[in-house]
C-alpha cells in the first residue's frame, strides 16, 4: 500500500507555508529596484571581477584556501568565491567585488610566481570585470523574459481552454517562481545566470503540468 500524503486534508497548514514562502520571494523581488537586496547576487548581476587560472594540478579545498588567502593578501579584498573549474578540476575560478586593473595585474604576477604558471598568460583563462550596469541590464532582461513568457502562456491557454484556466495556470506559474526565489533568499544561494535557466525550466514544467490537468478535466 502506497503511503498517503493528505495535502488537501491539511490545506490550511500547507497554504500558510506556501503564502509565507511566496511573500518572502515577492518582498525580495519588489525591494530590488529600491536598493534593498536580500539575494546573494553573483557578479553576473551585481558586477565584479572574475579571474580563472589553469594551475595544472587538481584544485582541492587546500588549494582553494591558498588562492583565497593570496588574493586577499594582494588586493585587500576577500573574494566572494574561489572554486575549481574545468573538465579535470585543474582550473581555479576567483570571483570578487570589482578591483582595478593594477590589482588584477598584481594578482596575476603573484599567481605566476606561486604556482609557476606561464609568464605569457597562457594559463590565464579569464580576466574580466563586469560593471554593475551590465548586471542591472541582465536583471531587467530576465524579468522581461519571464513577464513576456507568462503573458503569452495566458493567451495560449485562454484560446485553447478558457480564461479561468489561463488565470489558474498563470497563478501556478507565479507561485512556483516565488517559491524558487524564496529558496534563493533563505539559503543565500548565489544568484547567477544559471538562475535564468532554472526559472525558465520551472516555467516550462509548471505550465506543462497545468495543461495536462486541464486536458484530463476536459476529457471527463
Amino acid at each position: 500500500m502506497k503511503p498517503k500524503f493528505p495535502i488537501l486534508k491539511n490545506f490550511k497548514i500547507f497554504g500558510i507555508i506556501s503564502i509565507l514562502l511566496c511573500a518572502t520571494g515577492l518582498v525580495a523581488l519588489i525591494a530590488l529596484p529600491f536598493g534593498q537586496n536580500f539575494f546573494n547576487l553573483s557578479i553576473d548581476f551585481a558586477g565584479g571581477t572574475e579571474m580563472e587560472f589553469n594551475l595544472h594540478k587538481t584544485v582541492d579545498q587546500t588549494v582553494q584556501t591558498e588562492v583565497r588567502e593570496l588574493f586577499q593578501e594582494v588586493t585587500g579584498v576577500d573574494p566572494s568565491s574561489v572554486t575549481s573549474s574545468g573538465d579535470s578540476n585543474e582550473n581555479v575560478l576567483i570571483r570578487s567585488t570589482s578591483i582595478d586593473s593594477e590589482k588584477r595585474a598584481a594578482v596575476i604576477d603573484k599567481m605566476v610566481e606561486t604556482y609557476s604558471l606561464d609568464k605569457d598568460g597562457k594559463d590565464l583563462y579569464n580576466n574580466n570585470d563586469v560593471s554593475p550596469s551590465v548586471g542591472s541590464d541582465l536583471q531587467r532582461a530576465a524579468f522581461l523574459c519571464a513577464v513576456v513568457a507568462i503573458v503569452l502562456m495566458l493567451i495560449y491557454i485562454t484560446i485553447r481552454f478558457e480564461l479561468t484556466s489561463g488565470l489558474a495556470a498563470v497563478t501556478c506559474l507565479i507561485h512556483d517562481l516565488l517559491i524558487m526565489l524564496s529558496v534563493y533568499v533563505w539559503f543565500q544561494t548565489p544568484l547567477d545566470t544559471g538562475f535564468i535557466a532554472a526559472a525558465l525550466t520551472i516555467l516550462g514544467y509548471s505550465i506543462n503540468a497545468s495543461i495536462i490537468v486541464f486536458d484530463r478535466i476536459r476529457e471527463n
Side-chain angles (χ1 to χ4, degrees):
M1 183 177 179
K2 293 183 179 180
K4 294 182 179 180
F5 198 64
I7 295 179
L8 294 179
K9 182 179 179 181
N10 301 298
F11 174 76
K12 290 184 179 180
I13 297 175
F14 291 108
I16 292 172
I17 294 174
S18 179
I19 290 172
L20 290 176
L21 289 174
C22 287
T24 301
L26 184 61
V27 169
L29 190 62
I30 293 175
L32 272 179
F34 297 96
Q36 294 294 325
N37 177 31
F38 297 101
F39 296 102
N40 179 15
L41 297 178
S42 72
I43 66 171
D44 298 325
F45 289 98
T49 296
E50 182 177 86
M51 307 180 75
E52 184 176 7
F53 299 87
N54 184 357
L55 301 187
H56 301 287
K57 66 178 182 178
T58 301
V59 179
D60 54 19
Q61 189 62 46
T62 302
V63 176
Q64 292 175 24
T65 302
E66 290 175 355
V67 173
R68 176 180 289 274
E69 292 174 351
L70 180 151
F71 187 90
Q72 188 173 18
E73 177 186 345
V74 174
T75 65
V77 176
D78 187 22
S80 56
S81 68
V82 177
T83 57
S84 61
S85 62
D87 295 335
S88 56
N89 289 328
E90 292 187 347
N91 297 355
V92 62
L93 179 63
I94 309 170
R95 289 182 167 184
S96 75
T97 54
S98 184
I99 58 175
D100 57 38
S101 57
E102 292 182 0
K103 289 183 178 180
R104 294 208 303 272
V107 171
I108 294 171
D109 292 340
K110 189 68 174 178
M111 290 291 291
V112 168
E113 176 186 348
T114 303
Y115 296 101
S116 302
L117 305 183
D118 184 81
K119 294 182 179 180
D120 296 328
K122 294 181 180 179
D123 292 330
L124 176 61
Y125 286 2
N126 193 4
N127 180 21
N128 294 323
D129 193 67
V130 181
S131 68
S133 61
V134 174
S136 298
D137 292 340
L138 192 57
Q139 290 179 42
R140 285 192 293 269
F143 180 76
L144 182 61
C145 285
V147 171
V148 170
I150 289 174
V151 170
L152 291 177
M153 289 176 187
L154 174 61
I155 295 173
Y156 168 75
I157 297 175
T158 300
I159 294 173
R160 181 172 177 182
F161 298 97
E162 56 186 30
L163 180 59
T164 53
S165 298
L167 293 175
V170 168
T171 301
C172 290
L173 284 177
I174 296 173
H175 169 272
D176 295 342
L177 287 177
L178 290 177
I179 292 292
M180 179 183 178
L181 287 172
S182 69
V183 170
Y184 272 82
V185 172
W186 284 111
F187 292 97
Q188 285 297 288
T189 304
L191 200 153
D192 52 20
T193 50
F195 165 81
I196 300 176
L200 293 178
T201 300
I202 286 179
L203 281 174
Y205 277 110
S206 179
I207 197 66
N208 180 68
S210 297
I211 290 176
I212 291 174
V213 171
F214 294 154
D215 271 333
R216 298 295 82 78
I217 292 173
R218 185 166 59 180
E219 288 177 0
N220 294 327

